[in-house]
Amino acid sequence: MDRVRGVRPVRILLADDQPLLRTGFRMVLSEEQDLDIVGEAGDGSEAVELARRLLPDVVLMDIRMPRMDGVAATRAIVDARLPVRVLILTTFDLDEYVVGALRAGASGFLAKDVPAEDLVSAIRTVAAGEAVVAPRILKRLLDRFADLLPDPSSTQPKALDVLTEREREVLVHIARGLSNAEIARALSISETTIKTHVGHVLTKLCLRDRVQAVVFAYESGLVRPGG
């Protein structure tokens, strides 16, 4: 229907060194009228090259690949200021790579065994300029690296001083994986107001999106795993 109405489909680049997995993703995504796979890459270097040439809306990026891994490829795409967003695919036993990918500028991450409908939804969300934060995976990540996070009793970084008390509250809820609607209910204010607060938080902290806001909230000690 989207193609018939003239709406441009979301253009996707698949980056995974396993041809069988790329085939599986292609089969799932080709069922969606608003998604269009424009290329496939078998390693990180090829993914960066194709991202520059094809300018897809979203790169579905594997973490561990030959020549250049998904973290380095993500960083190269972001540093080149391409109008391309990266959605990382990972497995629980490779969690440490996800932190690096998020710092590099990835717009989100999913487990490789994610249900097809969740994958499709995540791609649409990222293409729309939002970020995908998977709370279940994020909790496992942060629990694993809890010892590396700041002591909550220590002084919080000066960067937090630029936020109002309400903006800090909003940041805490973002870090817990809540949507704007859920934060609005929790704080008993309108969703429109929450969107404004989220925008202020990202601007003041020089963060690209909600995913980086989550990482910042934990790394700054504002939020602790399980807290």
Side-chain angles (χ1 to χ4, degrees):
M1 289 298 293
D2 291 298
R3 294 177 192 271
V4 173
R5 293 171 182 165
V7 177
R8 187 176 74 84
V10 176
R11 303 173 73 254
I12 303 164
L13 171 65
L14 301 178
D16 196 299
D17 64 330
Q18 299 183 51
L20 190 59
L21 281 177
R22 295 202 305 272
T23 298
F25 290 134
R26 179 179 284 276
M27 290 176 61
V28 168
L29 300 179
S30 64
E31 295 293 319
E32 304 298 324
Q33 290 296 309
D34 63 331
L35 303 182
D36 187 16
I37 298 174
V38 297
E40 297 185 19
D43 60 61
S45 294
E46 187 179 12
V48 175
E49 178 186 344
L50 289 178
R52 290 177 181 273
R53 181 153 53 90
L54 301 175
L55 295 179
D57 299 301
V58 178
V59 179
L60 203 57
M61 183 85 75
D62 185 23
I63 282 285
R64 181 168 285 182
M65 293 185 291
R67 294 179 65 197
M68 178 187 288
D69 65 28
V71 175
T74 297
R75 184 175 296 109
I77 290 171
V78 172
D79 287 350
R81 299 186 181 279
L82 301 177
V84 176
R85 297 175 71 83
V86 178
L87 180 57
I88 295 290
L89 293 174
T90 185
T91 54
F92 280 146
D93 58 339
L94 294 179
D95 286 340
E96 63 270 23
Y97 289 90
V98 179
V99 173
L102 294 179
R103 287 174 177 156
S107 295
F109 58 92
L110 296 173
K112 277 195 172 182
D113 61 354
V114 65
E117 59 270 22
D118 290 350
L119 174 63
V120 170
S121 176
I123 290 173
R124 290 173 178 149
T125 298
V126 168
E130 297 293 329
V132 176
V133 180
R136 179 173 62 92
I137 300 177
L138 183 64
K139 182 180 186 304
R140 186 181 178 109
L141 261 174
L142 295 168
D143 285 345
R144 180 170 179 175
F145 294 104
D147 291 341
L148 302 179
L149 297 174
D151 184 339
S153 63
S154 64
T155 303
Q156 291 180 349
K158 291 289 186 181
L160 288 171
D161 291 345
V162 302
L163 301 182
T164 65
E165 190 61 37
R166 178 63 86 187
E167 288 165 353
R168 288 196 190 200
E169 286 182 286
V170 170
L171 179 54
V172 167
H173 286 300
I174 291 174
R176 290 171 179 160
L178 274 64
S179 66
N180 286 350
E182 290 169 331
I183 298 174
R185 286 195 295 271
L187 298 181
S188 300
I189 53 181
S190 73
E191 188 172 348
T192 300
T193 301
I194 292 300
K195 288 180 180 178
T196 300
H197 285 316
V198 171
H200 289 166
V201 168
L202 298 181
T203 299
K204 288 181 177 181
L205 297 178
C206 300
L207 301 173
R208 175 173 168 167
D209 51 38
R210 295 172 78 98
V211 174
Q212 291 193 342
V214 171
V215 174
F216 176 88
Y218 281 93
E219 289 188 330
S220 68
L222 181 63
V223 178
R224 295 289 294 178

